[in-house]
Amino acid sequence: MNSGLKSKFTAAVLSLIASFSLIGAVDAHAAAADESPILYLEVSNTLTAQDTFAWTEYDHYNYTDRYLPTLDKHIVYEGDNIKMLGYGYAPLKDFLLVEDNDDSRKVLSFDIQRDRTDWHSMEGGGFLFNASVKNDTLSGFCILLTQSGLKLIDITGVNVNSFRNGSYAYVQNAGRLLATYPVNNVYAEHHIKIEINSSEISLWDDDKLLIDRYELPERDYGYGYGPITSHASHACRQQSYFTFSNIVMETVTGYYIKLEPSEDIWGLTNDYWTETFTLTSVDYTPAEGETIAEFSDYPMFKDARDMVLFYPDGSFDHIPWVDGKADYENAERYINIIDSNVNAGTIKLEHGEQIIGAYAE
């Protein structure tokens, strides 16, 4: 997340955190007997392929090709799809990069499909992650779907123009190959899901776990991400390409908070609304050795049927619970129905941002 977006994001998050009441069969005495729980609030920022404002494009514009027509762009947007077109001679590389200095957990998912031409003109297509371009130097990690399987690569710091313009036949020549994983039918459309943090990666291919918490080398590259294609050196009119679709890039930012009893200023506490609590100490850091209970196991939440999250403007979300977890996808937003005298307005997050969880880490 770039610094401007991050600052707006953080401000939006902090403006939302106020208090919530629990609805359901809660044992109030058990809750009162325990210390105020320490929770972990996760907020996601989600970008899709249509959020082109977030990309930095590393394309070859109006490239004069030896065997193919000159195109104004080789990264082409087609609705929700991104098609990355190849070249007729040099092993060029194109990519899109969302610069991000935030080491928060990320969940990246996309569909990827290779065209049906043979592999002599294409190395592969995939995704950069934990990556950056600083002072014309590209550093980061990459997963690449190739003829020989899925490659996990460490790009250890190369001149970005040399990398893009054909100095490296294969991406791994710009660093080192960490691992290769077998992939069935490399021409088929593959749905890829990647979960990453600063130190490890897990990857699923069509719900099959291929990479299970692989521990990455310790690096300080940054945390950018985006699709990439690497073309092979050849000399003919074959133009290979990869198509990326349904790209969803989710950055999950976490805040430690404390939940403390608060005065019921809304007059809602009764036999049904059992307790009212306030989310405080947003940047609370647990003390060394401090134990944080699982959110759904905490007595206050264990038997709760749903939850209401109050906001400073007088609006609130009604959030149902499913299998002991808050079902944010089916949450309902209510505006200014608590007190008609409250000057309520609509809470506005940045595009793609939503609260996705409140639970103990």
Side-chain angles (χ1 to χ4, degrees), residues 36-88:
S36 299
I38 303 155
L39 306 180
Y40 188 73
L41 179 69
E42 285 193 335
V43 181
S44 77
N45 173 269
T46 302
L47 300 175
T48 70
Q50 292 183 332
D51 298 311
T52 54
F53 66 89
W55 302 114
T56 298
E57 291 188 356
Y58 293 87
D59 196 347
H60 290 82
Y61 305 103
N62 299 306
Y63 179 78
T64 302
D65 206 312
R66 188 174 300 189
Y67 294 96
L68 294 168
T70 298
L71 301 178
D72 57 345
K73 286 174 63 82
H74 286 78
I75 301 176
V76 181
Y77 301 90
E78 298 177 341
D80 289 336
N81 296 342
I82 296 175
K83 183 178 287 187
M84 292 191 174
L85 304 172
Y87 302 87

Side-chain angles (χ1 to χ4, degrees), residues 161-208:
N161 293 317
S162 296
F163 177 79
R164 295 172 56 237
N165 294 329
S167 296
Y168 301 91
Y170 303 100
V171 173
Q172 66 202 56
N173 296 149
R176 66 189 181 105
L177 178 65
L178 298 176
T180 302
Y181 303 87
V183 173
N184 295 327
N185 191 359
V186 290
Y187 284 106
E189 181 179 76
H190 291 265
H191 178 69
I192 303 295
K193 177 184 175 183
I194 309 170
E195 290 191 2
I196 53 175
N197 57 35
S198 59
S199 61
E200 64 182 27
I201 174 176
S202 295
L203 182 144
W204 290 259
D205 174 19
D206 295 325
D207 297 325
K208 178 183 178 182

Side-chain angles (χ1 to χ4, degrees), residues 23 38 52 54 110 117 146 157 166 184 190 198 213 218 241 243 254 261 281 284 323:
I23 308 172
I38 303 155
T52 54
F110 56 93
T117 56
T146 71
N184 295 327
H190 291 265
S198 59
R213 300 185 68 176
E218 292 186 14
Y241 61 88
T243 301
S281 304
Y284 178 83
D323 298 327

Side-chain angles (χ1 to χ4, degrees), residues 267-278:
L268 297 172
T269 301
N270 52 38
D271 292 339
Y272 189 71
W273 297 65
T274 57
E275 295 281 279
T276 300
F277 297 87
T278 301

